[in-house]
Amino acid sequence: MNGPELLRIVDALHRDKNIDKEIVFEGIEQAILSAARKHYGEEETFEINIDRETGESSLKINEKLLDSDELGDLLGRIAAQTAKQVMIQKIREAERDALFDEYQEMRGHIVTGTIQSLSGGTAAVNLGKVEGILPRGEQIPGESHRPSERVRAVVMDVRKAGSRVKIILSRTHADLVRRLFELEIPEIGEGVIEIRSIAREAGYRSKVAVSCNDQKIDCVGACVGVRGSRIKNIVDELASERIDIVRWNDSLQVLVPNALQPAEVENVILCPMLGRVLVLVRDDQLSLSIGRRGQNVRLASKLVGWDIEIMTEDELNDQLESSVMAFGEVPHISNELAESLVAQGFLSFDDLSIIEPDQLAELGGLTEEQCEAIVEFADQESERLEKELQKRRADARIAAAAAPAEAPADTGTAEVAEATGEAETADAAAGETPEAVDAESEVATTDEEPATDEEAVAAEAGVPAEETAVAELETETEADGEAVAEESVDAAEQVAVEEQKIVGSGEDVQAPENDVDDETLTKAEASTPEE
């Protein structure tokens, strides 16, 4: 075997395939060994060695060294084909391992490729040496791709699949935002400005907290750029996703209000034992601070790493009073201990059920048995209240679904009650929904308008006194219906606000919807009689 020629082959494979030379030498040795076993049989013992400096090979069979001519005869046409197959297999395995190691180091980094094909929403992306996979779940919601389109994504996972390497890409991961900031903003790439935290809901909104050691540099302004030129490139790459840039601060008293922007925060109360932050806002800032479907407070919670609960000052005072009263009924808890627990941020039985017994014993000087009894009682109460809440929600859904069908029947009942002079009693007994009351108000308005405008004419025409009394009764009932509608609207708004106070723990909580309130108010206004 020609030694220099063998060295040239090894060097070419090393450069072209990025395979270590030692792996190539071992593959050649295995190929020669396989050819020798096929020629001489499996019962013989073989020993093969290739000199790494000269490329000369030597083969021993049963401790007998074969000369170069015998080795050349051994590697004839058939044996050479076997050796070739072994070499190809070894090279493929080595190439796979090299690609795996290369992309394993690139996990979390951004790559650019071209979409080759789409199948069931999953995109195959050509990355040059290897093909990546962009699953449907890792694509930005609402984004569509087409073949030959260039796309940027981060390497999320790298796996070995037989002789191939499977690379999973993602465009929803928070690292994509981080890498785009590093590419578009030189100060971040150079390390002058540091990204401290990122919270993202792909396709909708992201919050990025940045800081800078140099007080002369405005870290937020540098990220935005002149007239938003820098951040615009990132937003365009992320399919117009909204990005909030927040100034980082080590103090939660400052960081939490920054994270909740654009809402204005009145006060921040820390509850270290629960890892929770109570944020007090004005009534007009409650909906804005929570965000649509709780998105603003949820992202802020992820950004700072603490649960965030938003409420108004009046709600907090009411909650404190009710919590002290509720905890006072728990066995082994005195009024002083109840006030101490509330001061630490424990506002519900659900909070009390997760307290550590040693913390509870330290606060109240209780024994281990007493602490376990308190935690068990709180756990049972929490489950009972949760079941009651679910039942009320189910009843509310059933009532809302049945309201349109019951509205005509309720209207008829109200008309009968009006004729007998018992409208108020009928309304209270029927427990009408705001929609039914609005329907009654509209009917009463239609009947009342001509009576109000032509009262004098009717009197001159000799209208009986009974009809005049019925008209007056209809007017009074209509006013009562408006009052009931307004009270129902207020109650609906109160329920909506109560349900939309959330703890920013990552749950998808429905934020206050102004459209619903506007629609209800419009119905109430439509029921007002024209003067």
Side-chain angles (χ1 to χ4, degrees), residues 314-498:
D314 293 338
E315 292 172 346
L316 177 60
N317 294 332
D318 295 341
Q319 183 66 51
L320 293 177
E321 293 179 1
S322 61
S323 298
V324 171
M325 294 178 59
F327 289 166
E329 299 177 358
V330 180
H332 312 300
I333 291 185
S334 61
N335 291 334
E336 293 77 10
L337 179 56
E339 294 177 356
S340 179
L341 288 171
V342 172
Q344 293 294 332
F346 294 91
L347 302 179
S348 66
F349 286 112
D350 190 25
D351 297 338
L352 189 59
S353 64
I354 62 174
I355 190 174
E356 295 294 336
D358 55 346
Q359 295 177 343
L360 185 57
E362 182 179 354
L363 286 174
L366 304 176
T367 63
E368 183 177 354
E369 292 77 10
Q370 291 174 335
C371 293
E372 292 178 357
I374 292 173
V375 173
E376 183 179 359
F377 181 87
D379 191 32
Q380 294 174 355
E381 285 295 308
S382 177
E383 292 180 359
R384 182 182 64 82
L385 294 175
E386 180 65 24
K387 290 179 181 179
E388 291 181 358
L389 179 60
Q390 292 178 358
K391 184 177 183 302
R392 288 199 299 268
R393 289 176 177 173
D395 294 342
R397 286 194 295 268
I398 294 173
E406 293 178 355
D410 292 341
T411 303
T413 303
E415 291 174 352
V416 173
E418 291 171 2
T420 59
E422 299 177 355
E424 296 180 359
T425 306
D427 291 344
E432 293 175 343
T433 60
E435 291 82 356
V437 175
D438 294 338
E440 293 174 9
S441 301
E442 292 173 1
V443 172
T445 302
T446 304
D447 296 335
E448 179 62 18
E449 287 176 356
T452 302
D453 296 338
E454 301 177 1
E455 183 177 354
V457 177
E460 293 177 358
V463 178
E466 291 80 0
E467 295 184 8
T468 305
V470 170
E472 293 176 354
L473 181 60
E474 289 178 352
T475 304
E476 294 176 359
T477 306
E478 178 186 354
D480 294 339
E482 294 173 5
V484 172
E486 293 177 356
E487 293 177 0
S488 302
V489 171
D490 296 338
E493 292 178 348
Q494 182 66 25
V495 171
V497 173
E498 289 291 337

Side-chain angles (χ1 to χ4, degrees), residues 197-199 205-209 244 246 259-261 296 299-300 303:
S197 180
I198 295 178
R205 192 173 183 179
S206 294
K207 286 182 179 289
V208 182
D244 297 339
V246 176
L260 287 173
Q261 290 177 355
N296 189 47
L299 288 175
L303 193 72

Side-chain angles (χ1 to χ4, degrees), residues 274-293:
L274 287 172
R276 176 186 297 170
V277 180
L278 298 180
V279 178
L280 302 183
V281 298
R282 299 193 306 272
D283 292 340
D284 61 340
Q285 295 292 312
L286 183 61
S287 177
L288 182 61
S289 60
I290 293 175
R292 182 174 179 82
R293 300 183 181 275

Side-chain angles (χ1 to χ4, degrees), residues 2 19 89 92 150 194 205 215 227 235 266 282 315 323 334 350 439 468 487 490 493 495 500 511 517 521 531:
N2 192 338
I19 302 173
Q89 180 67 21
R92 286 178 178 174
R150 292 186 64 82
E194 181 182 0
R205 192 173 183 179
Q215 300 297 331
R227 296 182 180 178
V235 170
E266 294 291 313
R282 299 193 306 272
E315 292 172 346
S323 298
S334 61
D350 190 25
T468 305
E487 293 177 0
D490 296 338
E493 292 178 348
V495 171
Q500 288 152 2
D517 297 338
L521 293 176
E531 296 181 356

Side-chain angles (χ1 to χ4, degrees), residues 217-250:
I217 298 178
D218 180 11
C219 54
V220 176
C223 294
V224 173
V226 179
R227 296 182 180 178
S229 58
R230 291 180 173 178
I231 197 66
K232 183 179 182 301
N233 296 332
I234 300 175
V235 170
D236 293 341
E237 179 63 35
L238 298 178
S240 300
E241 180 177 316
R242 180 179 176 181
I243 299 178
D244 297 339
I245 302 177
V246 176
R247 195 182 306 276
W248 177 268
N249 195 294
D250 293 330

Side-chain angles (χ1 to χ4, degrees), residues 6-7 13 30 37-38 114 155 186 191 195 262 272 305 312 392 397 423 478 525:
L6 180 63
L7 291 178
L13 289 173
Q30 291 295 324
R37 286 176 178 172
K38 186 173 183 180
T114 304
V155 179
I195 297 179
T312 62
R392 288 199 299 268
R397 286 194 295 268
E478 178 186 354
E525 293 174 358

